[in-house]
Amino acid sequence: MRSDSTTVHGTTAYIEFSSPGVKDRKIFGDGPDYLVPFGEMWRTGANHATYISIAGDLEIDTFKIDSGSYSIFTIPNQDEWVVIFNREWDQWGSYSYKDSLESFRLNVTPKYADQSQERMLFYFADDSLKFRWDKVRWAIPINRP
């Protein structure tokens, strides 16, 4: 497990995630040859679902999020990713995922780098939650409501 934390306008945020490696595999794309197929829900990591804990109220993009812990799931696609925050934070994979426990979904536009990031990474920088893996990069702004 890996983690990162930050303080945004006096509120602490912490993220914990498993960090799979590319290992010469095809990561994101269409079809069965890809580890993470486009259009399918992904636990956004490996093993235990990635989760974020927030010690006070914040805004993630334009959504108000209350103090607490949330799992993060994604639905990757070439031009847009859906990022999902779910109130059931302590779960293994996406096997028992419940739509009814979703707090919100938001769309992010991925950017593509020339150089590959071997290990999947979440981190906080510039008042944003950032994601990097393989050649995919995206960020979600975090603000105080």
Side-chain angles (χ1 to χ4, degrees), residues 53-138:
S53 292
I54 299 168
D57 298 344
L58 288 175
E59 274 185 3
I60 305 287
D61 193 39
T62 59
F63 296 91
K64 184 178 179 292
I65 188 166
D66 296 328
S67 176
S69 296
Y70 302 83
S71 55
I72 298 176
F73 291 85
T74 55
I75 302 171
N77 284 293
Q78 179 70 34
D79 298 322
E80 185 174 71
W81 282 43
V82 178
V83 181
I84 305 162
F85 286 73
N86 188 285
R87 290 184 306 277
E88 187 176 348
W89 69 273
D90 189 13
Q91 57 184 305
W92 185 266
S94 57
Y95 308 107
S96 61
Y97 185 84
K98 295 181 184 100
D99 291 343
S100 62
L101 295 176
E102 284 184 18
S103 290
F104 59 90
R105 290 178 175 219
L106 59 97
N107 297 329
V108 297
T109 302
K111 296 186 184 320
Y112 293 90
D114 292 332
Q115 201 166 0
S116 181
Q117 166 81 32
E118 175 62 28
R119 307 291 309 178
M120 191 197 83
L121 181 64
F122 274 103
Y123 63 102
F124 296 104
D126 307 317
D127 290 342
S128 294
L129 173 62
K130 298 190 176 197
F131 172 88
R132 296 176 69 164
W133 195 29
D134 194 18
K135 294 185 176 185
V136 175
R137 315 285 189 262
W138 50 258

Side-chain angles (χ1 to χ4, degrees), residues 25-27 30-36:
R25 299 179 288 185
K26 294 179 182 179
I27 303 300
D30 282 319
D33 294 339
Y34 291 89
L35 182 64
V36 182

